[in-house]
Amino acid sequence: MQNLRVRFAPSPTGALHIGGVRTALYNYLLAKKMGGTFILRIEDTDQARYVPGAEDYIIEALRWFGIMPEEGPGIGGDYGPYRQSERKSMYGKYAQQLLDAGRAYYAFDSAEELQAQRSAFEARKEVFKYDNNTRSSMNNSLTLSADEVKSRIERGDDYTVRLKIPKDETLRINDLVRGEVNFQSNELDDKIILKSDGMPTYHLANIVDDHYMKISHVIRGEEWLPSTAHHVYLYRFLEWEDTMPEFAHLPLILKPTGKGKLGKRDGNKFGIPVFPLSWKGETEEDSFTGFREFGFDPKAVLNFLAFLGWNPGTEQEVFTLDELIKAFSVEKIGKSGARFDFDKAKWFNQQYIIASSNEDLAEVVRPLVKEKGYEVSDEFLVAFCGLMKERVNFYTDFVETGYYFFEPIREYDAKMVRKKWKTEKRPVFETMREDLLNLDDYSGLAVETCIKSFMEKHELGFGAVLPILRLGVSGTMKGPSVFDMMSLLGKEEVNARLAKAYDAFDGAQAT
Ligand code: GLU
């Protein structure tokens, strides 16, 4: 078998949607599994939709996920250039070849003429399609005389080149996910393959490039399935059908509600990320928070994405990238749409955080801590991560929910304070503070022993003492083991916090 070569071929029209990352991932997994090559090709033939920064975004996202292509723009490879705009000169001759073979034709219809047709069809509640039915009533090289066509071209009239889809054929395509898919040629439109500006459309460029880049498998979103019929005709007419790649169309990613396709606006609507990295668009509406900035681990996102449309057929859910490579197979890709279940993404992230070493977590959390302007030692940070890791969903939670490890308590849980604090008990709690201050060893265990003997001495239960300690050192009832927390904060800090808290509790009690 020829070498397996797959490509991820995004168009740089804005931030890369998370569905695009899933496509890249499946391509990557297959390439790695089969010892093949994963290629990045930038499909930027549509100049009108080109968005500066989008290509950098794509590469940065792939790098963040650690699924870098082996060939691509800025990476190199034997089949470059990998940006279609730099391959411009390659496509025209194939349009010409198709014209010469009678498989394509010139179309001179102006935008107004096309619009007039559309309106006329609409009036009859029909949809206009430029196809083997309507082409005979349009201005093209099939209806105009050869001389007329020649003179129009010579005088520089605008034209496009359209693919001439044959009449009355059934086209059978074998899709690795969907099995045999049939298309009736009469239902296919005569797609434009060369635009009036001389640029190829996606369809032509995609086929020429896949051929030249020796792509063996095309793995892409289901939305491209209808175009595949045109693509197969292009392969056939260019006489490349014997080396045509295999196709695998991935199921749709559905909205969190399970209804309809996940769109880029759904992120802002549901308050969840649907892009890998944050993106600052022209407008507020066009700006999004990414999975990265939301506090996700890229490995967890990949694990989550792998399961959006694929399933190993076992109970295992948490996979490293290497395990995914081993387990992945195109046969196990599903046909039905996969719901974008954000809670599941969150769950994967928690699993990764819990499984990470405290040292590795500290590496990730350090920049977040710095960003907030906190100064702490490495030792402190590592211990802090250890205490917090079972209590967070996202990396950002470390500094947000655990802020009190770095700065004074912002507020005390008023309801709990009212419930647990009694001003007349303050003298007893002052002795607890003193007992703690007298400790030499301030390990979690020593603190715990000290508190327990205080409780015994004053005949107080856990329910009377622990909430006071917890509220006093962190302000909240949620958080890691109170003794370990105290140990990490240190004797002086705890002492100061308790003193301050008692005053605040008294104040709250008085109101
Ligand atoms: N440029 C297309 C896109 O933006 C690529 C589709 C394909 O993989 O053929 O999704």
Side-chain angles (χ1 to χ4, degrees), residues 34 38 49 97 116 134 188 199 214 224 228 231 234 239 243 289 299-300 329 339 355 360 375 420:
M34 306 302 285
F38 174 49
R49 297 184 60 218
Q97 190 180 318
T134 57
L188 304 175
M199 279 293 255
K214 295 201 164 59
W224 299 105
T228 309
H231 298 176
L234 280 168
E239 295 176 16
T243 56
T289 304
K299 298 189 285 301
S329 74
R339 189 169 75 86
D360 285 350
E375 298 274 347
K420 294 289 173 185

Side-chain angles (χ1 to χ4, degrees), residues 211-336:
H211 176 74
Y212 273 97
M213 294 181 180
K214 295 201 164 59
I215 299 303
S216 62
H217 294 74
V218 166
I219 304 174
R220 62 184 171 196
E222 188 182 272
E223 64 273 26
W224 299 105
L225 186 59
S227 302
T228 309
H230 297 90
H231 298 176
V232 172
Y233 274 125
L234 280 168
Y235 282 110
R236 185 169 295 172
F237 299 157
L238 290 167
E239 295 176 16
W240 293 338
E241 212 177 349
D242 54 338
T243 56
M244 184 171 79
E246 301 221 51
F247 295 100
H249 287 92
L250 308 179
L252 288 179
I253 299 182
L254 306 175
K255 290 181 197 296
T257 54
K259 287 194 197 87
K261 191 178 156 191
L262 180 75
K264 60 179 190 174
R265 307 254 173 260
D266 287 330
N268 289 345
K269 186 167 155 207
F270 292 100
I272 56 174
V274 295
F275 289 91
L277 319 174
S278 287
W279 172 263
K280 187 109 199 60
E282 303 252 300
T283 61
E284 197 53 34
E285 255 213 325
D286 208 29
S287 301
F288 315 99
T289 304
F291 271 90
R292 182 176 64 183
E293 291 73 12
F294 215 91
F296 273 91
D297 188 296
K299 298 189 285 301
V301 184
L302 283 187
N303 199 154
F304 165 66
L305 290 178
F307 273 76
L308 280 185
W310 169 86
N311 190 313
T314 64
E315 293 292 298
Q316 187 181 349
E317 287 192 283
V318 177
F319 282 77
T320 63
L321 192 52
D322 280 341
E323 287 171 332
L324 281 177
I325 292 168
K326 281 202 196 87
F328 187 75
S329 74
V330 175
E331 293 75 52
K332 294 216 173 77
I333 297 174
K335 288 195 197 51
S336 43

Side-chain angles (χ1 to χ4, degrees), residues 145-215:
S145 71
D147 283 348
E148 174 69 15
V149 170
K150 196 161 165 258
S151 70
R152 284 192 182 213
I153 293 174
E154 276 170 7
R155 70 171 188 248
D157 279 9
D158 269 355
Y159 65 82
T160 59
V161 175
R162 286 185 180 266
L163 183 65
K164 190 175 168 204
I165 297 289
K167 220 176 159 62
D168 299 331
E169 281 190 7
T170 300
L171 188 72
R172 287 180 220 293
I173 297 172
N174 183 46
D175 186 87
L176 295 176
V177 174
R178 285 157 200 279
E180 190 180 290
V181 184
N182 293 328
F183 291 92
Q184 296 307 321
S185 70
N186 293 351
E187 281 166 20
L188 304 175
D189 61 336
D190 288 353
K191 287 236 181 292
I192 295 178
I193 54 172
L194 205 67
K195 293 181 281 188
S196 52
D197 61 2
M199 279 293 255
T201 57
Y202 153 74
H203 305 287
L204 180 64
N206 188 272
I207 265 51
V208 170
D209 288 348
D210 279 350
H211 176 74
Y212 273 97
M213 294 181 180
K214 295 201 164 59
I215 299 303

